[in-house]
Amino acid sequence: MTSWRSAIFVLCAALALAAAGCSGGSSPETSSGATDGVARIADDDIEAGGGDDDTAADDAADDDPADDDSGDDDSGNDDDSAADDDVSFDDFEGWIVGAFYLPDRNTEALVLHFRNGVWETPDLPALGTSSILYGVYALDTANVFAVGSELSGSQRAAVVLHWDGNAWTKQTLPPPVSTHSELRTVRFLNEGYGWAGGWTWGSLTAQLLALRFIGDHWEHVGSLPLGAGAWANKIAVVDDEKVYFGGTGAMGGGDSALFYYDHGAWSFVPALTGAYFTYVAALYFDGPNDGYAINCTSRGGYYGGLGWHSDGAGWTLSGLIFPQSECATDIAATPSGQWHASGLRMEFSGKEYPVLKTKNGWLWTNDRLPSLAGRQAEIEALNFPADDVGIAVGRGWEIPTGQITGLALRHDGTKWAVVPEISWRPGESFEGVSFLAPDPADR
């Protein structure tokens, strides 16, 4: 079984004959200086540097099957981490969102809630058929937002759900969200300011859907100058004036696009926009002067992902984070600034296996993964509420039946382990995750 990315690239190839790639819009962001010892380069000069000191085979194999055990000691290895000797993983609270696949292949939106050491499945408000949640962001234990879509009649419509500490409710959204729309990502700067991104479509073309939360309501923010075909699957809110959207400028993943809204105007980062058969797959800012974006390409039929770093003034090519046959899915940083990335490795046979990486100096090295007991799998989202507490979520599927199952991995500051309480349950698929450290000051 292959992921939706494979289908995207097939669709993109078909569209390539009928549609040209999107080109620039208003004043592009410029770069000067240097970051991480790599000189800034023009957007038409993309030469991959950096690298990976592990082979692809290391990603799915593990010499120590005993690592497939999430019952480890939860004490931290970092004195600055929220999870110190007096705090265990059970003191954290978090949410995982996704979908449950029904026998008829329709889906029902799914939320898992972890608190007091127990995983719960809370009730959700009534949604249309084929509902699914892709992104979640927790501001505090009584203020959580989840985004996705539902099928209402024959039309798909974007959905935002809110958790107030007691129950989930469906929020009212402005036009054009009512029809032909989907939200993929959500991020907040504070309780009164946040963004959600996705796309809206009609007549076989798509446009970026950008919603802004102000005070107590959502508002639609104008169209992107890249024109039809833009969509977003990642978002980073830098401050109260600037927000980045990562995705593509052509429906189906045709042109990579990293666009941003700054002081009321849309623009784009030229170095990460316009590469054909590419999309921005991972995007995260650890403060206004430290951000990463990773693209994913199928140029020539092979995956691969270049990483770009922002110091707040511009973007610098930082190297080939995901080599040929791999594709990024997410990126995140710990509270102390340690960077991690997730992705998948696609074999020529079509089989997919997860890849997790850690930035060590200027190199991104492959993490050692627990045994997946022969299953194919992929990771969709990462979250690190503490230096020694990380959560990675996605899905696996049984061989040869193709039965979809949820997959959650937990990082203790040293290694990853499967979370057995919620992994491998038939029909579940995880898309997004957001956890809170016990002390908000440590998040």
Side-chain angles (χ1 to χ4, degrees):
M1 177 176 181
T2 58
S3 72
W4 59 269
R5 293 176 186 79
S6 303
I8 279 179
F9 291 132
V10 172
L11 173 61
C12 181
L15 292 176
L17 297 176
C22 296
S23 57
S26 57
S27 56
E29 184 171 312
T30 58
S31 303
S32 62
T35 299
D36 294 338
V38 181
R40 297 182 187 277
I41 63 175
D43 57 283
D44 59 351
D45 183 14
I46 302 179
E47 295 181 357
D52 191 320
D53 65 353
D54 286 335
T55 64
D58 291 332
D59 297 332
D62 183 7
D63 294 332
D64 184 6
D67 280 352
D68 190 8
D69 175 14
S70 63
D72 306 312
D73 176 68
D74 291 313
S75 60
N77 299 315
D78 189 329
D79 291 339
D80 296 327
S81 170
D84 56 26
D85 291 340
D86 297 322
V87 178
S88 74
F89 180 67
D90 289 352
D91 296 311
F92 287 70
E93 186 166 354
W95 293 261
I96 294 174
V97 300
F100 183 82
Y101 282 77
L102 301 170
D104 62 2
R105 306 303 293 176
N106 279 323
T107 58
E108 290 181 349
L110 174 69
V111 173
L112 301 182
H113 185 183
F114 182 80
R115 58 179 169 181
N116 300 321
V118 177
W119 290 96
E120 305 169 341
T121 305
D123 292 332
L124 300 180
L127 298 173
T129 59
S130 294
S131 59
I132 185 170
L133 298 173
Y134 290 103
V136 59
Y137 191 87
L139 284 155
D140 57 54
T141 58
N143 199 6
V144 184
F145 292 85
V147 302
S149 66
E150 63 180 343
L151 193 62
S152 179
S154 61
Q155 298 181 346
R156 183 158 292 279
V159 167
V160 176
L161 303 183
H162 180 256
W163 170 261
D164 63 3
N166 296 302
W168 286 95
T169 56
K170 185 178 178 181
Q171 297 206 307
T172 301
L173 301 180
V177 182
S178 58
T179 60
H180 300 302
S181 60
E182 185 166 73
L183 291 170
R184 284 292 184 119
T185 179
V186 59
R187 289 290 184 271
F188 273 73
L189 186 65
N190 53 56
E191 65 179 12
Y193 186 80
W195 288 77
W199 62 83
T200 181
W201 64 89
S203 301
L204 299 180
T205 63
Q207 290 186 339
L208 172 73
L209 175 60
L211 301 182
R212 179 171 55 190
F213 186 86
I214 298 290
D216 61 356
H217 66 281
W218 292 92
E219 60 184 28
H220 178 242
V221 181
S223 299
L224 184 73
L226 289 177
W231 59 267
N233 68 331
K234 299 294 181 182
I235 193 171
V237 180
V238 179
D239 54 37
D240 60 0
E241 296 288 351
K242 191 170 188 177
V243 57
Y244 282 94
F245 293 83
T248 184
M251 182 61 174
D255 291 334
S256 174
L258 181 61
F259 24 83
Y260 61 93
Y261 188 78
D262 189 10
H263 290 82
W266 285 105
S267 192
F268 65 97
V269 181
L272 280 89
T273 302
Y276 205 55
F277 284 96
T278 305
Y279 66 99
V280 175
L283 175 64
Y284 189 89
F285 270 75
D286 184 30
N289 301 319
D290 189 16
Y292 273 96
I294 310 175
N295 67 12
C296 180
T297 179
S298 66
R299 188 187 301 275
Y302 300 99
Y303 286 138
L306 291 171
W308 299 79
H309 179 262
S310 173
D311 62 2
W315 290 84
T316 300
L317 180 66
S318 66
L320 188 65
I321 297 177
F322 287 86
Q324 190 177 83
S325 80
E326 294 181 0
C327 181
T329 56
D330 203 6
I331 187 169
T334 68
S336 66
Q338 175 70 65
W339 286 91
H340 297 265
S342 65
L344 61 89
R345 188 183 82 250
M346 174 72 79
E347 297 186 345
F348 286 107
S349 64
K351 295 180 179 179
E352 297 180 3
Y353 296 98
V355 178
L356 289 163
K357 297 175 182 280
T358 300
K359 187 174 185 289
N360 295 296
W362 60 277
L363 283 175
W364 289 83
T365 57
N366 286 354
D367 296 343
R368 190 178 184 182
L369 299 186
S371 170
L372 303 180
R375 298 176 178 90
Q376 295 185 59
E378 59 185 28
I379 297 297
E380 289 292 343
L382 287 174
N383 185 227
F384 280 82
D387 289 341
D388 50 6
V389 174
I391 303 292
V393 302
R395 70 189 62 82
W397 43 89
E398 303 287 349
I399 301 173
T401 65
Q403 172 68 62
I404 293 175
T405 63
L407 172 61
L409 304 179
R410 177 179 149 207
H411 197 265
D412 64 1
T414 303
K415 66 181 185 300
W416 291 97
V418 173
V419 181
E421 299 93 332
I422 58 172
S423 295
W424 315 133
R425 299 195 302 205
E428 295 183 347
S429 177
F430 305 149
E431 302 285 346
V433 58
S434 185
F435 264 68
L436 299 170
D439 183 357
D442 292 328
R443 294 205 296 272

